[in-house]
Amino acid sequence: ILVILFIFYICQLIYLYFFLGGFRFYEAVVRLPLQKAQALDSNADVINGQIDPRHHDTIMLQCEQCYEIVMNALWTLKGVGHSRMQSADKSSGLATAVDPASRSKYIKQIIQLSVQWPDTVFHEYLYRTLIELGLENELLEYGGSDLVSFLQSAGRKHQEEVCHNPCFPTKVGTMD
């Protein structure tokens, strides 16, 4: 029963995203899903790593669905199909109906509201999405206090991938 109620609630949030997003109430598009995610993890147990491992994945998945609503608003405003969705977003007509200057303003508003939210796991989703969308300048301009640690972590992960990839030799041999 809880799963059915949660799915119903997520559907309501998605509906609100399209309804409110169409009217450009981007504050609600950011805050409502993030408040739902916060309610799912009210004690910040997932973020702090203090949750029963049996419940971690379920709560994290539910939070990620809330994060995706905010990310979809960015994808829609940017006017590109969401990379994680197989079909084109039907609301992408919004991006073409709004002039580029207004779209840029709305994107910046969403980013500013998002980095103010205290959820560092959400910030990682946000930062990855901004990079995927080619919004690196906005990321650097508006990124939160945890941006430096995110970039350092991403750099370490990339270095580890290169070091463990057999296509990239770790030592350069000399030519005789």
Side-chain angles (χ1 to χ4, degrees):
I1 293 178
L2 288 177
V3 172
I4 293 170
L5 289 174
F6 178 73
I7 292 170
F8 176 73
Y9 187 77
I10 290 298
C11 290
Q12 289 175 331
L13 283 176
I14 291 170
Y15 171 77
L16 282 174
Y17 155 70
F18 288 115
F19 177 75
L20 296 174
F23 289 111
R24 300 184 191 102
F25 294 125
Y26 292 105
E27 185 168 352
V29 170
V30 172
R31 295 195 190 274
L32 287 175
L34 295 181
Q35 286 174 348
K36 172 59 179 169
Q38 186 178 40
L40 290 166
D41 187 24
S42 59
N43 296 326
D45 292 334
V46 171
I47 295 171
N48 298 329
Q50 299 175 352
I51 192 165
D52 183 347
R54 295 174 293 170
H55 302 293
H56 178 273
D57 292 343
T58 303
I59 292 175
M60 199 60 219
L61 178 64
Q62 293 171 346
C63 289
E64 288 172 4
Q65 290 172 336
C66 295
Y67 300 160
E68 282 299 315
I69 294 170
V70 179
M71 300 311 129
N72 286 337
L74 289 168
W75 283 95
T76 300
L77 283 168
K78 187 67 176 167
V80 291
H82 193 304
S83 66
R84 294 181 199 128
M85 294 189 332
Q86 297 301 321
S87 62
D89 188 349
K90 292 180 175 67
S91 68
S92 62
L94 175 65
T96 57
V98 178
D99 65 280
S102 295
R103 276 198 321 253
S104 177
K105 180 178 113 180
Y106 300 142
I107 288 171
K108 289 176 182 179
Q109 287 175 347
I110 289 174
I111 295 169
Q112 288 173 332
L113 289 168
S114 295
V115 298
Q116 292 172 5
W117 199 257
D119 184 342
T120 56
V121 175
F122 168 70
H123 287 180
E124 289 183 21
Y125 279 84
L126 174 68
Y127 298 159
R128 280 195 300 270
T129 299
L130 294 175
I131 291 169
E132 289 175 17
L133 286 170
L135 296 170
E136 292 89 355
N137 291 335
E138 289 81 356
L139 171 63
L140 295 173
E141 183 176 350
Y142 299 109
S145 59
D146 55 353
L147 177 59
V148 172
S149 62
F150 169 80
L151 293 173
Q152 289 172 338
S153 174
R156 280 191 297 274
K157 288 178 188 174
H158 176 70
Q159 185 177 16
E160 289 172 7
E161 289 171 6
V162 170
C163 288
H164 292 99
N165 188 332
C167 295
F168 297 105
T170 54
K171 294 183 181 179
V172 178
T174 58
M175 300 193 67
D176 293 327

